[in-house]
Amino acid sequence: MKRTNETKQERIRRMHDEYGILKASIPEPRCALNFTTPFQLLVATVLSAQTTDVRVNSVTPELFDSYGTPEKLSEARIETVESIIHPVGFYHAKASHIITLSNQIVDDFAGEVPANMRDLTTLAGVGRKTANVVLGNAFGIPGFPVDTHVIRVTGRLRWRTDWRKANPDPVHIENEICGYFEPKEWTNLSHRLILFGRSTCHARKPACADCPLRATCPSAESI
C-alpha cells in the first residue's frame, strides 16, 4: 500500500530512488532533435512547439541545407521558409520567429547564439523551456526544460508540491524540481522524464502494468 502522507524528506528520498530506476531504464538519454550547431538546435526547438520532434527532424535537413547559419536565415524570404517548414504547423508564426531571431543574433550577438538564459530569452519565440534545451544540449550548461511530459510525470509521481493544480506554472516546477537534484543531473533528468512520458506514462492511458515505477508511484492505482 502506497503512503499518501509522506514527509518532505521521505518524498525526496523516494524521488531519488525512482530517478535511480529511470537512470537504469534509460541509460543514455539524448535530445531527440537533430542538430550540429547551437543555432540549429535553437531553430529546431522553436519549430518543435506544439508538434513532434520527428516532424521537426523531417523538415530541418532542407532548412539547414539552405539556411544553416544566422546570417543565411536572416536574409531568407519568409515565403520560402514557410514552404519548407509547413509540415510542422503554425508555420507563419514560426517562420517569422526564426528569421527574426536570426537577425537578432547577427545584430545583437555578433552572429553567435548567446549561452545564457537572460540573452536567449530576448530572442523571438524563445522562452525558458527553449533556452534550457539549448543551454543543456548545445553548451553543456545545466538546464531543466519543462514540457507537457515533465509536467504530467512529475505530477503523477507527486514529485512537486503543486501536483493537484490543473495548470501548474512551469517556472515553479523547474525551480522546485531543480532544488531536489544536483545541477549536473538537470539536463538528463528532463530527458529521462520526457522519454518516460512518451514510452510509458502516456497522457490518456498510461502503461502502469509495465511501469518500472509502479511499486512506489502514488498514482498507479488511481489512473
Side-chain angles (χ1 to χ4, degrees):
M1 187 71 172
K2 302 177 184 69
R3 290 184 57 183
T4 57
N5 59 338
E6 292 176 308
T7 66
K8 180 178 180 179
Q9 289 304 313
E10 288 171 336
R11 175 167 59 89
I12 293 173
R13 190 179 306 117
R14 174 173 61 81
M15 289 170 61
H16 282 268
D17 289 343
E18 289 172 341
Y19 184 51
I21 294 171
L22 289 181
K23 289 173 75 171
S25 302
I26 310 170
E28 297 182 1
R30 61 177 295 273
C31 180
L33 294 168
N34 296 332
F35 68 97
T36 57
T37 67
F39 175 71
Q40 291 182 2
L41 177 59
L42 174 64
V43 169
T45 308
V46 171
L47 295 180
S48 71
Q50 296 181 281
T51 190
T52 65
D53 293 340
V54 171
R55 186 158 292 175
V56 173
N57 289 338
S58 74
V59 304
T60 50
E62 180 180 358
L63 180 67
F64 295 153
D65 185 56
S66 298
Y67 308 108
T69 67
E71 292 79 10
K72 290 180 179 179
L73 188 53
S74 69
E75 297 175 350
R77 294 180 66 250
I78 192 167
E79 296 83 4
T80 303
V81 174
E82 287 177 345
S83 69
I84 295 172
I85 69 168
H86 186 277
V88 304
F90 302 98
Y91 59 93
H92 292 303
K94 290 179 180 180
S96 177
H97 285 328
I98 63 176
I99 291 174
T100 300
L101 71 81
S102 297
N103 276 283
Q104 289 176 284
I105 291 170
V106 171
D107 294 340
D108 300 336
F109 301 104
E112 299 292 332
V113 175
N116 65 80
M117 177 66 71
R118 182 189 63 190
D119 289 339
L120 279 169
T121 53
T122 66
L123 301 176
V126 179
R128 285 192 67 87
K129 183 184 79 171
T130 294
N132 273 320
V133 170
V134 174
L135 290 173
N137 294 281
F139 295 114
I141 297 171
F144 185 73
V146 176
D147 73 349
T148 56
H149 298 291
V150 171
I151 293 172
R152 180 174 69 255
V153 173
T154 57
R156 285 177 176 169
L157 290 172
R158 300 183 191 175
W159 279 16
R160 49 185 173 83
T161 53
D162 62 348
W163 61 270
R164 292 184 180 86
K165 286 189 176 181
N167 297 294
D169 177 13
V171 177
H172 178 273
I173 294 172
E174 177 187 343
N175 290 334
E176 182 173 9
I177 298 300
C178 285
Y180 300 138
F181 293 89
E182 293 294 324
K184 65 181 181 180
E185 295 284 0
W186 293 349
T187 300
N188 281 338
L189 171 62
S190 176
H191 281 321
R192 288 186 171 103
L193 291 172
I194 291 169
L195 292 169
F196 176 64
R198 288 174 177 165
S199 68
T200 305
C201 197
H202 309 128
R204 294 187 179 180
K205 190 176 181 182
C208 293
D210 300 319
C211 177
L213 306 182
R214 179 180 179 129
T216 55
C217 174
S219 303
E221 295 174 358
S222 60
I223 298 176

